[in-house]
Amino acid sequence: MHILHVTPHLPPDQAANALLPWQLGILAQDTGDSVEYVAHPPRAAGAAQLPGPVAWIPRRTGGIIDRTTRVGALDRAWRIRRAMEPALARADLVHVHSNGLLAELAVLLARRRDKPVVLTLYGTEIWHYQPKRPWIDLFSRAYAAASAVTFYSDRLRSRAGELGLTRRGMQTIYPAVGPQFEWHDEEAQARTRTALGISNRHLLVNVKRLHVLAGQRYLIEAMNEVIRPFPDTRLIICGTGPLAPSLEASTRSAGVERHVTFTGLVSNELVARYCAAADLFILPSLLEALPTVAVEALACGTPVISSDSPGGLELHDVFGPNVSIVPRENPQALAGAIVHFLRNGRRTSPATRETIEREFRPAVAAARYQELYQQLVGGGRQ
């Protein structure tokens, strides 16, 4: 089978909709399948080794006509279609990731060619769904046209139903956590921390794009209440984004800049080492589907404190006491939860290790997608 993945991101970008198509492409080789990609160029610096050829389609030009006019939108759509058509012609199945003009056109063009299409949704497209007039609402048309739709979490799938987006072929397939995220007991945790050159007694880690929805400002605001009883505590924030200058300024105004390190964008391998070295992974996001970064930390043996976003609540449903929940936008509650844990620290339970291996490894996700691919290629549209 020749599989075409259409996605807005690919590595070295570290978004969930970059990692999953990359992981599925690597594992497709084990079943004798071949893959290729259509994607926008990565925003992150560097290059990644991909398991198939890629047709890179530029993002918006940034010009006023391209960004704001119908002529600009039509021109972008024409350029995307022209670049994508050869890959669509070669595909036996098309797997489309997320939303946006690239993804939505891919679904509609593939279905026009009578190609089976899997559409995987990661969160934003459902949380912010607002139906438009039918003739311009490409997302709703693509959603209805896809052969099957998979969701990153059960709560995301339930929300789609609440919005009236119920259809056949809906299922949840949880995100895949790579093998570099492996369980560390306390001795292995200490060795990793030493190897990273971190001498602090307590280490907190957050990995997320520096964006208002990621909620890092509330974590920074909580830090004074944490370092008062635990002065030898360091917070490491991995990621980049538009709020970087503002968040760095917040650490200075709060007087906690000596306790907070911003790493910028780092490799997945280094993220894994930070997760393994941490006492706690903190996720104060305002909105999540199912946060892969938190599952990666749990896979390393590090408990999680999350806001009560839909994804945080689902993590708690799946992993129980290894994920503590606090109210969103509440620095005091967040600080209290961190302090409580640092007084009663521990690694994750054996049950969490078992759940990770059973539900969240790449081979598990690949097997579930492969079963779906076979159903669609062999039996047509669901």
Side-chain angles (χ1 to χ4, degrees), residues 99 183 351 374:
N99 66 327
W183 193 79
Q374 294 292 344

Side-chain angles (χ1 to χ4, degrees), residues 205-208 212-220 281-288 305-309 326-330 334:
V205 169
N206 168 267
V207 181
K208 203 70 182 172
V212 64
L213 289 178
Q216 287 102 344
R217 58 168 285 199
Y218 304 107
L219 177 52
I220 291 169
F281 186 93
I282 315 294
L283 192 75
S285 303
L286 279 62
L287 193 59
E288 292 280 357
I305 294 178
S306 172
S307 68
D308 59 352
S309 67
V326 297
R328 277 169 279 189
E329 304 177 78
N330 191 324
L334 182 57

Side-chain angles (χ1 to χ4, degrees), residues 175-186:
V177 173
Q180 65 268 49
F181 296 92
E182 58 181 352
W183 193 79
H184 286 57
D185 60 16
E186 291 180 354

Side-chain angles (χ1 to χ4, degrees), residues 5 11 15 43 122 125 169 173 215:
H5 289 277
R43 289 193 168 101
Y122 295 77
E125 55 283 287
I173 300 180

Side-chain angles (χ1 to χ4, degrees), residues 137-151:
D137 188 2
L138 283 182
F139 173 74
S140 294
R141 290 168 59 190
Y143 182 88
S147 311
V149 180
T150 69
F151 296 84

Side-chain angles (χ1 to χ4, degrees), residues 47-66:
Q49 186 172 358
L50 299 168
V54 187
W56 298 111
I57 297 183
R59 301 176 191 273
R60 293 180 178 181
T61 64
I64 187 68
I65 293 176
D66 187 31

Side-chain angles (χ1 to χ4, degrees), residues 121 123-132 137 139-140 143 151 154-167 170 287:
L121 300 179
T124 303
E125 55 283 287
I126 296 297
W127 300 136
H128 301 297
Y129 175 73
Q130 291 183 337
K132 306 179 183 71
D137 188 2
F139 173 74
S140 294
Y143 182 88
F151 296 84
D154 279 335
R155 288 178 187 255
L156 188 64
R157 181 168 55 86
S158 297
R159 180 57 180 159
E162 293 169 3
L163 292 167
L165 295 172
T166 301
R167 47 152 294 155
M170 301 169 67
L287 193 59

